[in-house]
Amino acid sequence: MSRHNRNKSIYVGVAILVIGVIMFLRKMNIYIPEWIWSFEMLLIGIGVAVGIDNKFRNPSSYILIGLGGLLLLDDIFYFDFNIWYYFWPLLVISIGLIIIFQSRFRAAKVDNFSGNEADKLDSVAIFNGVKRSINSKSFAGGEVVTIFGGTELNLMNADFEGTANLEMTVLFGGAKLFVPKNWEVRPEVTSIFGGVDDKRHSAIEVMPDNKVLYLTGTVVFGGLEIVNY
């Protein structure tokens, strides 16, 4: 097990431990505020988990923590107005902020990229669907953002030497990657109420040819499929 996966296991274990302790205290009739079990705390928890996994370099972690914290204020301090009434506008604002900061982050990475920009993938799907075929023979990975939408990427005709890293951010959506059978895929994605599924198959056994595609990032309330058909 890689160090990255060990760390994720520790985070999951700590989260389960905290939930168990809170449940135990409630059984002992020790007062625990109701907002501890709220949807707002779930948003904050997801934001913290995403931030820890990405070393707080992904702006979506700050957005989730901020949105959950703002909504939580109404439960703690009982404001005269209903913050939940503004949930959808706040969500749209949050998505806009994610797009802005993601764009700035991607621009910074492109400036630091020494290879051919055409070999580095940059895909964004917000409230829509994206289908792309990658034919680069010097594929250098890249970044894929899918929020309330769907992304379909065909890498069957792509090629590279050694390793490549594809950073996936999937929030309330789905992504499908068509990857050659002879590539080794190593998912190191943080999944929260989502999942990563490698469904590749072949009629004959195919030996890997020392090409390793790393999948990093976050999947929240969504799914990532890896296929070769």
Side-chain angles (χ1 to χ4, degrees):
M1 181 183 294
S2 68
R3 180 179 179 181
H4 182 83
N5 288 331
R6 286 198 302 270
N7 288 340
K8 288 199 294 185
S9 297
I10 292 173
Y11 302 150
V12 172
V14 170
I16 294 174
L17 176 63
V18 170
I19 293 173
V21 170
I22 294 174
M23 293 175 64
F24 181 77
L25 294 177
R26 288 172 65 93
K27 287 293 186 180
M28 294 180 63
N29 294 322
I30 296 176
Y31 174 72
I32 301 294
E34 290 296 328
W35 54 263
I36 290 292
W37 301 100
S38 64
F39 174 73
E40 298 93 321
M41 282 298 296
L42 177 62
L43 286 178
I44 295 173
I46 292 174
V48 171
V50 171
I52 291 175
D53 186 67
N54 293 279
K55 298 181 180 180
F56 288 94
R57 292 176 297 183
N58 191 325
S60 60
S61 60
Y62 298 102
I63 302 301
L64 290 170
I65 293 172
L67 181 60
L70 183 61
L71 294 172
L72 189 61
L73 290 177
D74 188 41
D75 291 341
I76 298 176
F77 297 104
Y78 301 102
F79 293 139
D80 292 334
F81 65 96
N82 184 8
I83 295 180
W84 275 101
Y85 179 76
Y86 302 96
F87 174 78
W88 287 107
L90 288 173
L91 180 61
V92 173
I93 292 172
S94 300
I95 292 174
L97 290 173
I98 290 174
I99 296 171
I100 292 171
F101 285 106
Q102 287 279 11
S103 298
R104 291 176 62 87
F105 184 61
R106 286 196 301 271
K109 289 198 296 185
V110 169
D111 291 339
N112 295 326
F113 179 56
S114 59
N116 187 347
E117 185 176 335
D119 296 327
K120 201 167 183 67
L121 178 63
D122 187 0
S123 175
V124 178
I126 310 291
F127 288 105
N128 69 343
V130 170
K131 289 186 178 182
R132 293 182 61 179
S133 294
I134 312 302
N135 299 314
S136 171
K137 301 306 177 184
S138 301
F139 180 60
E143 184 174 7
V144 178
V145 177
T146 305
I147 302 175
F148 288 101
T151 298
E152 188 174 293
L153 299 177
N154 191 335
L155 301 172
M156 298 298 290
N157 295 319
D159 200 4
F160 64 93
E161 295 295 331
T163 64
N165 181 75
L166 199 56
E167 184 174 350
M168 310 291 299
T169 300
V170 182
L171 302 177
F172 298 96
K176 178 181 289 188
L177 302 180
F178 292 85
V179 179
K181 180 67 176 180
N182 59 324
W183 288 12
E184 181 182 353
V185 180
R186 296 185 184 177
E188 297 185 350
V189 176
T190 298
S191 299
I192 303 174
F193 296 104
V196 179
D197 191 6
D198 191 343
K199 295 183 176 180
R200 291 180 298 165
H201 64 81
S202 175
I204 59 175
E205 186 68 24
V206 178
M207 295 298 295
D209 57 3
N210 298 322
K211 301 179 191 298
V212 181
L213 177 65
Y214 289 93
L215 299 178
T216 59
T218 307
V219 177
V220 180
F221 290 104
L224 172 59
E225 284 188 343
I226 307 167
V227 299
N228 67 328
Y229 53 86

